């Protein structure tokens, strides 16, 4: 049995989520988030906790009727290779299925990790033209990443766009 649990995030976890995020922002691997933004989206997050300390987190953001994005997947360095990341993704997939989603998107440098979990790199035009035109109306940067819009390219150099059918 693992010495951590995966559970839905609470508002009291927001500071811990931001602490997990900070080293990755400093390394310019993940974009920073405002405190208010994390509070507003706390219901999207699940966390891994060991002895009252957050050791990982991840979020599921709904993008469309059948499509969600795995976001802000982070595991504390000392907890890498202990199954935490996989457990977080598994919980996010369960949440996605409960919401009626059938596809999950991620933008990642960790291609091997996501490939082992059934994700595959994607190319252009993975939604029909009508859905594409609707998604263009979203101010959400994750949607822009999914659509591979040119204005987000400077933020994603080297990242891989991946998709999984649930």
């Amino acid at each position: 049995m693992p010495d951590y649990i995966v559970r839905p995030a609470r508002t009291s976890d927001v500071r811990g989520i931001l602490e997990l995020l900070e080293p990755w922002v400093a390394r310019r691997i993940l974009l920073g988030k405002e405190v208010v933004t994390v509070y507003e989206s706390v219901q999207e997050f699940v966390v891994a906790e060991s002895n009252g300390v957050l050791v990982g987190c991840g979020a599921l953001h709904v993008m469309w009727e059948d499509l969600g994005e795995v976001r802000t997947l982070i595991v504390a360095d000392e907890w890498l290779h202990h199954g935490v990341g996989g457990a977080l993704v598994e919980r996010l997939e369960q949440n996605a299925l409960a919401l009626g989603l059938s596809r999950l998107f991620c933008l990642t440098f960790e291609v091997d990790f996501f490939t082992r979990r059934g994700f595959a790199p994607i190319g252009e035009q993975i939604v029909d033209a009508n859905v594409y035109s609707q998604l263009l109306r979203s101010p959400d940067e994750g949607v822009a990443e999914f659509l591979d819009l040119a204005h987000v390219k400077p933020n994603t150099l080297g990242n891989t766009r991946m998709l999984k059918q649930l």
Side-chain angles (χ1 to χ4, degrees):
M1 182 165 124
D3 42 359
Y4 61 88
I5 61 164
V6 175
R7 61 168 175 76
R10 300 184 282 258
T11 56
S12 58
D13 295 319
V14 167
R15 300 286 179 188
I17 291 169
L18 291 168
E19 287 174 17
L20 285 168
L21 180 59
E22 176 50 38
W24 299 98
V25 173
R27 291 182 244 174
R28 298 185 183 274
I29 294 172
L30 292 175
L31 295 176
K33 295 186 183 299
E34 297 294 333
V35 176
V36 67
T37 304
V38 180
Y39 278 115
E40 288 173 344
S41 61
V42 72
Q43 71 279 359
E44 297 181 357
F45 278 87
V46 296
V47 295
E49 177 184 28
S50 177
N51 298 318
V53 176
L54 295 191
V55 299
C57 66
L60 171 67
H61 181 75
V62 174
M63 297 172 74
W64 197 251
E65 177 182 11
D66 64 335
L67 178 66
E69 179 184 7
V70 173
R71 292 185 171 177
T72 321
L73 184 67
I74 305 167
V75 175
D77 287 342
E78 61 274 14
W79 282 87
L80 291 173
H81 311 292
H82 287 87
V84 175
L88 289 165
V89 171
E90 184 177 316
R91 177 64 66 89
L92 294 172
E93 288 181 5
Q94 291 169 0
N95 293 354
L97 288 169
L99 287 168
L101 302 178
S102 60
R103 300 183 298 163
L104 280 182
F105 165 74
C106 69
L107 182 72
T108 186
F109 289 106
E110 301 296 333
V111 174
D112 291 342
F113 171 86
F114 280 99
T115 298
R116 288 192 305 272
R117 282 151 187 84
F119 287 76
I122 55 174
E124 305 299 317
Q125 289 304 103
I126 51 178
V127 293
D128 68 41
N130 182 48
V131 172
Y132 184 90
S133 68
Q134 293 294 322
L135 287 173
L136 281 176
R137 297 176 184 178
S138 173
D140 185 87
E141 285 298 311
V143 172
E145 298 279 10
F146 173 72
L147 296 176
D148 201 25
L149 300 181
H151 76 271
V152 297
K153 280 296 184 197
N155 295 333
T156 63
L157 195 59
N159 287 11
T160 300
R161 298 162 67 237
M162 301 184 81
L163 192 69
K164 178 177 182 173
Q165 299 286 333
L166 297 177

